[in-house]
Amino acid sequence: GTAMAAVRDVEIDSEGTFKYILVRLQRPGGQEQRDIVRGTKAAEFHNHIFEKVNPEMEKLGYECKCLGGGKIDHNSKDKKIRVFGLSTGYGKADHSVTAEILKKVYTDYEITWSDDKK
């Protein structure tokens, strides 16, 4: 699936602390699936992120499912990302999965995660 490969693993703000969601993409009726990370300060609530990503992915022919959310603290100066917290609406994402996806993109970063609220 070249189209699926064209979807970026990660789209997050380059700096700051913000909400994020873990989203599973799947072809309707197909086996092929992958998880992507989306986060931005522009989103006041986790569902705002999903409401933006879902139509984009539907256009490409994917079904989206939100696997949960949390927060990302992105310090680009020190090259550190911390994943933590949860989403009230979607529940807590598996931050260990999120961290692995982030590592694919931010290869030279120190990436940590915890289930802490803050």
Side-chain angles (χ1 to χ4, degrees):
T2 47
M4 195 174 262
V7 176
R8 288 194 296 195
D9 287 316
V10 178
E11 284 181 19
I12 59 171
D13 289 359
S14 56
E15 190 63 48
T17 304
F18 44 86
K19 292 184 167 70
Y20 94 87
I21 57 172
L22 186 61
V23 178
R24 174 156 292 166
L25 303 184
Q26 197 156 8
R27 286 271 184 227
Q31 291 308 303
E32 190 188 9
Q33 60 177 42
R34 64 181 272 224
D35 299 342
I36 61 171
V37 175
R38 295 290 183 268
T40 177
K41 276 201 274 283
E44 192 186 344
F45 300 105
H46 287 90
N47 62 302
H48 293 170
I49 308 172
F50 190 73
E51 282 160 14
K52 186 175 172 291
V53 82
N54 195 36
E56 287 173 9
M57 295 304 146
E58 281 184 343
K59 273 193 204 109
L60 297 170
Y62 299 111
E63 289 173 346
C64 286
K65 184 171 139 200
C66 184
L67 301 178
K71 285 188 170 174
I72 286 175
D73 181 26
H74 188 171
N75 181 335
S76 55
K77 187 170 66 73
D78 295 341
K79 296 197 167 182
K80 285 184 179 176
I81 292 178
R82 187 167 74 93
V83 187
F84 64 101
L86 54 83
S87 160
T88 317
Y90 295 121
K92 187 184 72 67
D94 185 338
H95 298 325
S96 65
V97 171
T98 302
E100 289 308 310
I101 297 169
L102 289 167
K103 281 173 190 170
K104 289 199 275 189
V105 177
Y106 296 93
T107 49
D108 57 345
Y109 268 59
E110 182 193 323
I111 296 171
T112 58
W113 65 271
S114 77
D115 291 332
D116 298 344
K117 296 274 169 64
K118 291 194 181 310

